[in-house]
Structure formats: C-alpha cells, structure tokens
C-alpha cells in the first residue's frame, strides 16, 4: 500500500500531516505506506505566518493483505515415479491460481503434479481476498533424467566346471553401478567377470545410478548346470600280456541329472558301458580316458595309464626226444622270444616225477640251451618256464618218451 497525498491548500506557509498511526510529516505532498491494515484518519493542518491555521481530515482504509506460501514434499526428484505435492500454507486469501511455467493448471487449494519429461519447472501460486488484494509465491522443482540399466551376459548357460560369466554393461545416463550376482557376492565395476562355486539358477541384478541418485534396475538369469565329477579305478593297472583282463570300476558322480559315458582305451577300442572289461591284444602302454556327459551337455574326463607288459613266448626243440638209455644226451635248443626286455629260464627235466626227483640238482637248469643225460630209463616231461624282467611268465612242456630209453 502507498497513499500519495496531494496538497491543494491555499495561503498557507507550513503544513503538518498526521497519518492516524502515530506518524506525521511536514512535507507539502507526502506519500505514505501503512505497516498494518485497518481504518485511519489523515489530518492536514495548514498554517500562515500570522498564526492562522486551517485543518482538514479524511478517512482511509488499508485492506488486509493475503500471505501466499506453499511447501513441496521434495523439489528434486527422479523422473521415474516423480510426484510433487504442493501444500498450501497461505493465509487471508479466498481464491487461488496455480501455475506451472506461467500456465495455469489448477485453482484448488493444493496440487499434486507428476511430470513426464526431465527438466526444471517453476511452480507458482497466487491468491486474492474479497478486496482483490493479491500475493504470490514461486518455487523451482527439478525433474532429474532417469538412467536406463542394460547389460548382456556372454553365455547365460554354462557348466559348473570352468564357468566364467562376462557381463557387458550398456546402461545409459548412469555414473555408478551395483551388481548382485545372486550368490551373496556383489561388484561395483562397470563390466565385471564372475565365477560361481555351485551349480544353480542365479538372478543377476544391475542397479545403475545417475549423478543425481536416480536409479534403474535390470534383472537377468544365469544358469550353472551340474558338471560330472569323473573317477574310475582298475583292478590292476600293471598286467602281463598273457591273460590280461582290465576291469574298470566307474565312480563318477553328478549333483543332479543323468550322465552317459564314453571310454577310450587307447587302442582304438571304445565302450559306453558303465563298468567295462577290456583285453589288450598287444603289449604296450595305454592311456585310458573316461568322458562323462550330463543330460545338459556338461562334460568331465579323467585319464589313467595301463601297462601291458610283454609276455615271453616259449619255444624249444630237442635234438632227439627218443633216445636209448645208453649214451643218451638230450640237447635242448631254446627258441623262446619276447617283444622287449630280458627274460630268464628255468628248466625242469623231470616235471612229471616226484618232487624229490623233479627238484634234484641234476633235473633243473637255468641255462638258455642246456644238455642233460638221464640216469634212469623212463618217460620224462620237460618243462621250460620263462620269466621276463617285469615278472611276466609263460611255460612250455614236452615229453621224452621212456619207451625209447633202454
């Protein structure tokens, strides 16, 4: 309020204004503002030099001024889910006008507003009373851009053995990241790599956060399939060629699901049975490999070495296996062979006789090509036992006909 007073007095040399609120002025035509509303009497006293004076009074009214103000629940919000609640705290007004960026949007007491795009908005409230006295108040609110979380997984379905998940982050509008891998572990790098230590289904979440604290979350699933744990044993991994028989006992296991087996015995033979038995047809060193495959395609393998040692191949000839007693001399020619390694010989010249004769010193020999003269006429069984340097044995038996020993 400002009251401009125009002095139209004549013949006066001095003036005294009284504004009715205890304040005064001696100006010719003053302007005056009242601190409080109410009814006031303005008096002008005009005086001439001879002490003559005149006065005049007028009544004025200062109307109540509305006080406009409001609060907002939060002036700085993220685009997603934003809701600005403007609560009217005004007094003395009977009508209101709400404006956003100077465009009227409501005439209610309070408003609730949500914005569909990120920007700065000015919210204004004006109010007037029955005397058309007005007041206004403005605040700026900030709608912050919403980040968008995005990521990919190099391979979302992996076997437990050797699993390694590479996460590629392509979030936009974000400055900070929080990964939850669903197994109790987390990471704050942009593009993490993670290994799981159990087979299961895991929910991986990425929370992308902007510089204003706005967040977006994306979830994806990572699958870790059970891997077989392969194991097997052999009845005897070191066997001689003659009569070799390798019996394999499969101890493979898997946490869940089924598995199939493929055996490779290192000699072009294979098997898909659980516990196979194999005979080797050559002496050699063989790498036996078992591959287990789950019903979800996960594999594991184990290898063991089996040794098939060379077995001696006994062979000998006799100069004449039918001789007369007198002057008999049996000459044995040893034609035994072995693929590799060395071998020793043990001859029994009376293998069919009682032990007292069989094991007598004259009835045995360790020579390769022995010669023997029998001291009794009979039919004798001659046995040659061969033993390799790896402990493999074989034998051959021939008969000297006693009927010809006279």
């Amino acid at each position: 309020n400002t009251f401009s007073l125009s002095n139209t007095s004549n013949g006066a040399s001095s003036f005294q204004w009284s504004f009715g609120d205890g304040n005064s002025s001696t100006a010719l035509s003053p302007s005056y503002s009242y601190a409080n509303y109410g009814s006031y009497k303005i008096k002008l006293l005009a005086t001439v030099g001879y002490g003559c004076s005149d006065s005049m009074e007028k009544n004025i009214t200062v109307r109540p001024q509305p006080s406009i103000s409001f609060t907002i629940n939060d002036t700085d919000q993220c685009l997603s889910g934003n809701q600005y609640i403007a609560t009217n705290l005004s007094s003395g007004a009977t009508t209101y006008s709400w404006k956003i960026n100077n465009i009227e949007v409501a005439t209610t007491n309070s408003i609730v507003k949500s914005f569909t795009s990120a920007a700065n908005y000015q919210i204004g409230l004006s109010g007037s009373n029955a005397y058309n006295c007005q007041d206004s108040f403005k605040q700026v609110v900030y709608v912050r851009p919403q980040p968008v979380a995005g990521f990919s997984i190099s391979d979302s379905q992996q076997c437990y053995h050797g699993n390694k998940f590479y996460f590629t982050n392509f979030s936009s509008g974000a400055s900070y990241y929080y990964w939850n891998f669903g197994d109790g572990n987390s990471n704050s790098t942009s593009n993490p790599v993670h290994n799981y230590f159990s087979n299961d289904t895991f929910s991986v979440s990425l929370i992308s956060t902007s510089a204003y604290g706005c967040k977006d979350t994306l979830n994806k699933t990572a699958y870790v399939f059970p891997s077989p744990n392969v194991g097997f044993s052999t009845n005897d991994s070191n066997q001689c060629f003659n009569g070799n028989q390798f019996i394999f006992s499969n101890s493979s296991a898997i946490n869940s699901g089924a598995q199939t087996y493929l055996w490779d015995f290192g000699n072009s033979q294979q098997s898909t049975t659980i516990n196979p038995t194999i005979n080797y047809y050559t002496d050699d060193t063989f790498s036996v490999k078992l591959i287990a495959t789950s019903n979800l395609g996960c594999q594991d393998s184990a290898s063991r070495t089996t040794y098939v040692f060379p077995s001696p191949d006994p062979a000998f000839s006799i100069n004449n296996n039918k001789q007369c007693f007198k002057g008999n001399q049996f000459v044995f020619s040893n034609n035994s062979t072995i693929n590799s390694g060395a071998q020793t010989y043990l001859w029994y010249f009376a293998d069919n006789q009682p032990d007292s004769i069989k094991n007598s010193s004259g009835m045995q020999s360790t020579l390769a090509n022995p010669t023997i003269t029998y001291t009794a006429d009979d039919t004798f069984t001659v046995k040659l036992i061969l033993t390799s340097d790896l402990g493999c044995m074989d034998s051959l038996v021939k008969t000297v006909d006693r009927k010809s020993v006279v």
Side-chain angles (χ1 to χ4, degrees):
N1 69 89
T2 300
F3 291 85
S4 298
L5 305 177
S6 297
N7 191 342
T8 58
S9 303
N10 294 316
S13 58
S14 64
F15 305 97
Q16 179 71 39
W17 295 86
S18 175
F19 300 118
D21 64 350
N23 292 313
S24 62
S25 174
T26 59
L28 176 63
S29 298
S31 293
Y32 187 72
S33 297
Y34 288 90
N36 298 294
Y37 67 87
S39 296
Y40 300 94
K41 182 180 289 186
I42 299 178
K43 181 178 180 180
L44 172 61
L45 176 65
T47 304
V48 295
Y50 307 104
C52 298
S53 65
D54 192 13
S55 65
M56 181 180 179
E57 295 179 348
K58 285 190 176 183
N59 295 319
I60 64 165
T61 301
V62 179
R63 302 298 185 186
Q65 181 74 29
S67 176
I68 302 299
S69 67
F70 62 90
T71 61
I72 297 177
N73 58 323
D74 185 356
T75 60
D76 198 328
Q77 298 185 36
C78 301
L79 177 62
S80 178
N82 76 86
Q83 187 179 67
Y84 294 84
I85 302 173
T87 302
N88 193 341
L89 302 179
S90 304
S91 61
T94 55
T95 60
Y96 300 100
S97 175
W98 293 92
K99 293 182 180 180
I100 295 178
N101 290 345
N102 295 319
I103 298 175
E104 186 176 69
V105 294
T107 58
T108 56
N109 186 63
S110 297
I111 62 169
V112 177
K113 179 64 178 177
S114 296
F115 297 95
T116 58
S117 60
N120 298 339
Y121 298 90
Q122 184 187 78
I123 298 179
L125 173 62
S126 60
S128 60
N129 60 17
Y131 305 105
N132 201 31
C133 297
Q134 297 182 350
D135 191 18
S136 63
F137 183 73
K138 296 177 181 179
Q139 288 195 64
V140 176
V141 297
Y142 305 90
V143 182
R144 301 302 186 183
Q146 194 69 29
V148 178
F151 69 94
S152 63
I153 307 174
S154 57
D155 183 359
S156 62
Q157 299 180 349
Q158 297 187 34
C159 298
Y160 171 72
H161 286 166
N163 77 83
K164 182 174 285 190
F165 290 80
Y166 293 86
F167 298 93
T168 301
N169 186 345
F170 49 85
S171 301
S172 61
S175 302
Y176 311 100
Y177 308 100
Y178 177 80
W179 297 84
N180 187 325
F181 300 113
D183 62 349
N185 292 299
S186 59
N187 194 292
S188 58
T189 61
S190 180
N191 300 290
V193 178
H194 188 65
N195 305 94
Y196 288 97
F197 296 98
S198 63
N199 55 270
D200 207 340
T201 299
F202 300 93
S203 178
V204 180
S205 67
L206 168 62
I207 302 174
S208 299
T209 305
S210 72
Y212 299 106
C214 300
K215 297 180 179 182
D216 189 29
T217 302
L218 179 64
N219 296 299
K220 289 191 176 184
T221 302
Y223 301 90
V224 181
F225 298 144
S227 288
N229 292 308
V230 172
F232 68 92
S233 60
T234 311
N235 59 326
D236 185 356
S237 60
N238 300 330
Q239 296 187 35
C240 297
F241 172 73
N242 287 349
N244 76 84
Q245 185 179 63
F246 290 83
I247 301 172
F248 297 95
S249 298
N250 190 341
S251 58
S252 302
I254 191 169
N255 284 351
S256 62
Q259 54 186 346
T260 57
Y261 306 100
L262 177 62
W263 295 84
D264 187 329
F265 301 109
N267 65 341
S268 301
Q269 294 187 74
Q270 293 183 334
S271 175
T272 57
T273 61
I274 298 177
N275 299 295
T277 298
I278 182 82
N279 305 102
Y280 286 98
Y281 298 102
T282 57
D283 55 81
D284 206 342
T285 299
F286 301 94
S287 178
V288 178
K289 185 176 184 179
L290 170 58
I291 302 173
T293 304
S294 74
N295 58 310
L296 294 173
C298 297
Q299 290 189 342
D300 190 24
S301 64
S303 297
R304 289 179 178 273
T305 302
T306 59
Y307 302 89
V308 181
F309 299 144
S311 288
D313 185 10
F316 67 91
S317 61
I318 308 171
N319 61 330
N320 186 352
N321 67 338
K322 296 179 181 181
Q323 297 184 34
C324 296
F325 173 73
K326 186 177 180 180
N328 75 85
Q329 186 180 56
F330 291 84
V331 179
F332 299 92
S333 299
N334 190 342
N335 307 116
S336 302
T337 59
I338 191 169
N339 283 349
S340 62
Q343 56 186 345
T344 58
Y345 312 100
L346 178 59
W347 296 84
Y348 289 98
F349 300 115
D351 191 58
N352 61 330
Q353 300 297 314
D355 287 346
S356 59
I357 298 174
K358 173 184 175 179
N359 296 323
S360 62
S361 60
M363 291 293 101
Q364 295 183 13
S365 177
T366 56
L367 297 176
N369 298 288
T371 298
I372 187 171
T373 299
Y374 287 97
T375 59
D377 59 337
D378 204 341
T379 298
F380 297 94
T381 299
V382 179
K383 184 176 185 180
L384 170 60
I385 301 174
L386 302 175
T387 304
S388 74
D389 54 346
L390 293 173
C392 296
M393 301 174 68
D394 199 1
S395 63
L396 178 63
V397 176
K398 289 188 178 184
T399 302
V400 175
D401 191 349
R402 76 177 180 82
K403 294 179 180 180
S404 300
V405 181
V406 180

